[in-house]
Amino acid sequence: MIELAQLKVHSSFGQALVAEGAISEEELATALNLQEQSEERIGKLLIDIGALSETDLVKQLSSYLEIPYVTSEDFPQVPVVENTFSVGFMRECKFVPIRMEDNGRLVVAMADPLDRSTLDAIRLYTPYHDLTVVLAPESGILDLIEKFYGSQASSLGRIVEGMEEGEGLTDDEDIEHLKDLASEAPVIRLVNLIISRAIESRASDIHIEPFEKDLKVRYRIDGVLYDVESPPKRLKAAVISRIKIMARLNIAERRIPQDGRIQIKVLGKDLDLRVSTLPTLYGESVVMRILDKSNTQIYDLTRLGFNEAMYGNFEDLIMRPHGIILVTGPTGSGKTTTLYGALTKINLPDKKIITIEDPVEYQIAGINQIHVNTQIGLSFAAGLRSIVRQDPDVIMVGEVRDLETAEIAIRAALTGHLVFSTLHTNDAPSAIARMVDMGAEDYLLASSVLGVLAQRLVRVICPHCREEQPVEPGFLEEVGFPPHLPRRLFEGRGCKECSETGFLGRIGIFELMLMDDDIRRLTIGNTEANLLRKTAIANGMVTLRQDGFEKVSRGETTISEVLRVTQ
């Protein structure tokens, strides 16, 4: 919430934001219209309508005014000066001392660097006449004031305290009243804060869950859910209604699940939030999946965690002219990311690639992507049947869910198409058994399937706090750790970079079963998955756990992580 001192700066700064592409002309016009009605600062209004995050605004203003900015990471751990400025004065003028330089000059972080009267007051009534001003987010300044001089109240706490006690509504309240409440600035700021904190925490999902006595907010970070500071239960209806309005869902309908999406720009990133609501005993549960449209690294196969030999084999498969390549694993194991990486690798001008997905998670230039819509009859099978008529070279089917989809995919592979798809199985050999169970002909599977890749995601040890751990005698033998690998174990002790979790990011562990002559013969004989697995291992297949243990020996993850995802 940046405060600007002069109206002409408001206007010119807004135009500068448009010129930079930070906001659109429509968003600026909306903010200026609201400013005429409320006389609020333009920066605060841009944040309130979701056009910019507070951090983005600080960066843009820093560049515009040519004044350096700082983030909360640059703030001191202890107060710089004490018993000099009143807490009320700092709160009202939104400044805080952050550093004392060797020459006696005081560095002050301000939300409004053009507030000359505050700077004059500091010089006049305190010993600090030499000042250096830097920009900082208002919420960060107020948090630091509370931490050093106040009652430890958080940003979320201040927003809630700023709302009247009666602003919380029950689900039975009037819908129009609920719409009005969900459109008020405090509720908008509260929801924006929940989303922006999730982005800063590297969360992949936001869970908002109502219970009997509280409203719980949790972030899924690196595949694990963590509790975070939550608003009071009385704000349940307002918060959920605000999210439903942003996702263009029906706020009056609370009896059936709904799905929607929110496109928003936070911390300089273009995000796509997939919103799902589900009626529960104490109200609607909301889950927002965060998709970063600007993150192109997810498409790079070399960054997913393949070892050299497996990467070479998988690359050979995806370069084949026809056949089926299956990727298996539970929900959230990174199957779609691997498929996107494979498609990006072979996305050349001489190939036509069409995908049918549920939903389309990321858009890839040069690839025709179709979104499943069962309400109008566009299922995987129906879409795949039409895709084949489009003369594609490569087809990706989001998931093989039934016999009809499996048969069309097999037919496409046998008629000269390269087909990618996913299955929900625990390991690679089980994929063949699953397809046979669906009713697919075993001899057609043997002829069309090129290979099956099973995968999981394990958390990566934080490189900033990684340290070697002692190995207990007999422990490695007990868990089946290969004797030929280096026997050094590492863990992260927890630090600021990883939010004290000891982990930072995730990497894949893989199991690639190639359809060689032995596997084809067993497939035609309708052999059980266990025998397929034993034969594949005998022919050189590296299992998920073995691949995980290799990453443990390299200090990338922990044994407990590998055991957690491969049990």
Side-chain angles (χ1 to χ4, degrees):
M1 290 62 116
I2 303 302
E3 298 188 22
L4 301 178
Q6 301 170 3
L7 186 61
K8 66 178 182 179
V9 175
H10 285 188
S11 176
S12 56
F13 177 54
Q15 292 298 332
L17 289 175
V18 173
E20 287 286 329
I23 63 173
S24 66
E25 289 278 5
E26 292 77 10
E27 288 168 334
L28 177 59
T30 300
L32 290 174
N33 288 335
L34 290 173
Q35 188 182 44
E36 292 178 1
Q37 302 169 18
S38 65
E39 298 184 355
E40 286 280 8
R41 272 67 174 183
I42 194 75
K44 180 178 181 301
L45 292 170
L46 287 170
I47 293 171
D48 286 348
I49 65 175
L52 278 179
S53 71
E54 187 178 17
T55 303
D56 287 336
L57 195 61
V58 168
K59 292 178 180 178
Q60 293 287 347
L61 189 59
S62 170
S63 174
Y64 180 75
L65 296 176
E66 297 183 347
I67 295 176
Y69 74 92
V70 295
T71 64
S72 56
E73 295 180 354
D74 303 309
F75 287 163
Q77 299 300 310
V78 295
V80 175
V81 295
E82 295 186 280
N83 303 321
T84 301
F85 305 106
S86 72
V87 177
F89 178 45
M90 287 189 288
R91 279 184 186 145
E92 168 126 13
C93 300
K94 300 177 181 62
F95 78 92
V96 66
I98 62 167
R99 190 169 65 250
M100 182 70 73
E101 296 183 343
D102 294 338
N103 59 5
R105 180 183 290 267
L106 182 66
V107 180
V108 178
M110 300 185 71
D112 180 5
L114 302 182
D115 184 1
R116 306 299 181 194
S117 59
T118 296
L119 295 174
D120 290 340
I122 294 173
R123 293 187 179 100
L124 186 61
Y125 297 108
T126 72
Y128 305 107
H129 306 302
D130 292 332
L131 299 174
T132 296
V133 178
V134 295
L135 263 168
E138 179 183 311
S139 62
I141 290 173
L142 294 177
D143 275 339
L144 193 64
I145 293 171
E146 296 298 334
K147 177 182 176 181
F148 287 164
Y149 312 104
S151 58
Q152 305 290 324
S154 66
S155 300
L156 188 146
R158 283 197 308 276
I159 292 174
V160 172
E161 288 171 8
M163 302 171 70
E164 298 179 7
E165 189 65 30
E167 289 190 12
L169 294 175
T170 66
D171 289 338
D172 299 325
E173 292 284 352
D174 178 73
I175 296 301
E176 290 304 317
H177 190 187
L178 198 56
K179 282 183 179 178
D180 292 340
L181 176 60
S183 301
E184 290 182 359
V187 177
I188 293 172
R189 284 201 298 272
L190 182 57
V191 172
N192 287 349
L193 180 65
I194 291 172
I195 295 173
S196 62
R197 281 186 172 177
I199 306 306
E200 291 171 350
S201 302
R202 303 178 295 105
S204 60
D205 301 86
I206 304 170
H207 294 247
I208 301 176
E209 303 160 316
F211 293 97
E212 182 179 8
K213 296 181 179 179
D214 59 358
L215 178 66
K216 182 174 289 186
V217 178
R218 296 192 288 175
Y219 295 158
R220 187 178 294 280
I221 304 171
D222 294 333
V224 178
L225 281 171
Y226 294 92
D227 285 330
V228 297
E229 186 180 12
S230 303
K233 186 175 184 293
R234 65 183 175 86
L235 299 178
K236 175 190 70 174
V239 169
I240 292 175
S241 296
R242 173 61 190 167
I243 293 171
K244 291 174 74 173
I245 287 173
M246 293 172 70
R248 294 179 172 83
L249 300 179
N250 182 2
I251 69 169
E253 182 55 78
R254 309 188 188 98
R255 301 164 299 172
I256 61 175
Q258 297 185 70
D259 294 305
R261 62 189 295 184
I262 301 170
Q263 291 182 305
I264 192 172
K265 189 170 185 177
V266 179
L267 304 178
K269 300 177 180 178
D270 290 317
L271 302 176
D272 201 355
L273 307 184
R274 299 295 166 85
V275 181
S276 171
T277 69
L278 185 70
T280 67
L281 189 61
Y282 298 105
E284 288 179 288
S285 172
V286 177
V287 175
M288 291 183 280
R289 187 175 187 188
I290 303 169
L291 303 176
D292 183 0
K293 295 188 292 185
S294 62
N295 185 6
T296 58
Q297 293 182 355
I298 64 165
Y299 307 147
D300 189 351
L301 276 179
T302 61
R303 302 176 66 93
L304 301 184
F306 287 103
N307 64 39
E308 187 175 347
M310 199 178 300
Y311 178 80
N313 288 332
F314 188 66
E315 187 178 33
D316 177 63
L317 290 183
I318 67 177
M319 295 298 178
R320 301 279 183 90
H322 54 81
I324 297 178
I325 300 171
L326 295 172
V327 180
T328 76
T331 301
S333 59
K335 300 187 297 295
T336 303
T337 298
T338 299
L339 288 178
Y340 280 172
L343 292 180
T344 303
K345 180 80 174 176
I346 61 176
N347 184 16
L348 301 172
D350 63 339
K351 284 188 173 66
K352 176 160 184 169
I353 303 175
I354 305 179
T355 75
I356 179 164
E357 308 168 54
D358 184 19
V360 175
E361 295 191 6
Y362 296 96
Q363 298 174 22
I364 308 177
I367 294 179
N368 301 279
Q369 296 172 271
I370 304 170
H371 186 93
V372 165
N373 189 344
T374 54
Q375 294 180 348
I376 61 173
L378 182 56
S379 62
F380 279 121
L384 184 53
R385 194 179 299 110
S386 299
I387 286 173
V388 174
R389 302 192 195 107
Q390 290 276 311
D391 187 32
D393 298 290
V394 181
I395 302 169
M396 186 187 99
V397 186
E399 183 183 348
V400 175
R401 294 178 178 172
D402 50 45
L403 176 59
E404 186 180 8
T405 307
E407 287 179 337
I408 301 171
I410 291 171
R411 196 178 310 126
L414 292 174
T415 54
H417 303 85
L418 183 62
V419 181
F420 294 89
S421 191
T422 71
L423 275 176
H424 290 281
T425 61
N426 290 327
D427 58 13
S430 299
I432 301 297
R434 175 67 55 82
M435 296 279 279
V436 172
D437 289 342
M438 284 183 185
E441 297 289 351
D442 50 16
Y443 67 93
L444 294 179
L445 285 174
S447 302
S448 58
V449 175
L450 300 175
V452 184
L453 178 75
Q455 68 178 75
R456 300 289 190 277
L457 293 176
V458 294
R459 291 182 290 176
V460 176
I461 300 171
C462 174
H464 305 282
C465 60
R466 190 183 74 162
E467 54 187 25
E468 190 169 354
Q469 299 294 313
V471 182
E472 296 182 13
F475 171 70
L476 294 180
E477 288 75 14
E478 183 180 339
V479 299
F481 196 85
H484 67 277
L485 294 176
R487 301 197 155 207
R488 298 180 64 192
L489 303 184
F490 294 86
E491 285 187 2
R493 68 175 181 276
C495 65
K496 181 178 67 174
E497 298 294 332
C498 61
S499 302
E500 305 300 330
T501 64
F503 297 98
L504 191 63
R506 289 188 292 176
I507 196 170
I509 58 174
F510 301 94
E511 174 180 289
L512 179 60
M513 184 184 77
L514 302 174
M515 289 292 287
D516 55 27
D517 292 339
D518 291 335
I519 300 297
R520 287 193 179 92
R521 186 166 54 251
L522 292 174
T523 299
I524 295 174
N526 200 8
T527 306
E528 291 184 353
N530 284 338
L531 184 54
L532 281 172
R533 180 173 181 80
K534 290 178 182 177
T535 305
I537 292 173
N539 290 352
M541 182 182 80
V542 177
T543 67
L544 285 167
R545 184 166 291 188
Q546 288 170 343
D547 190 42
F549 283 155
E550 286 185 13
K551 292 177 171 63
V552 169
S553 69
R554 295 199 297 266
E556 295 177 9
T557 189
T558 65
I559 284 184
S560 60
E561 271 295 290
V562 174
L563 296 179
R564 178 177 69 87
V565 302
T566 60
Q567 285 179 346

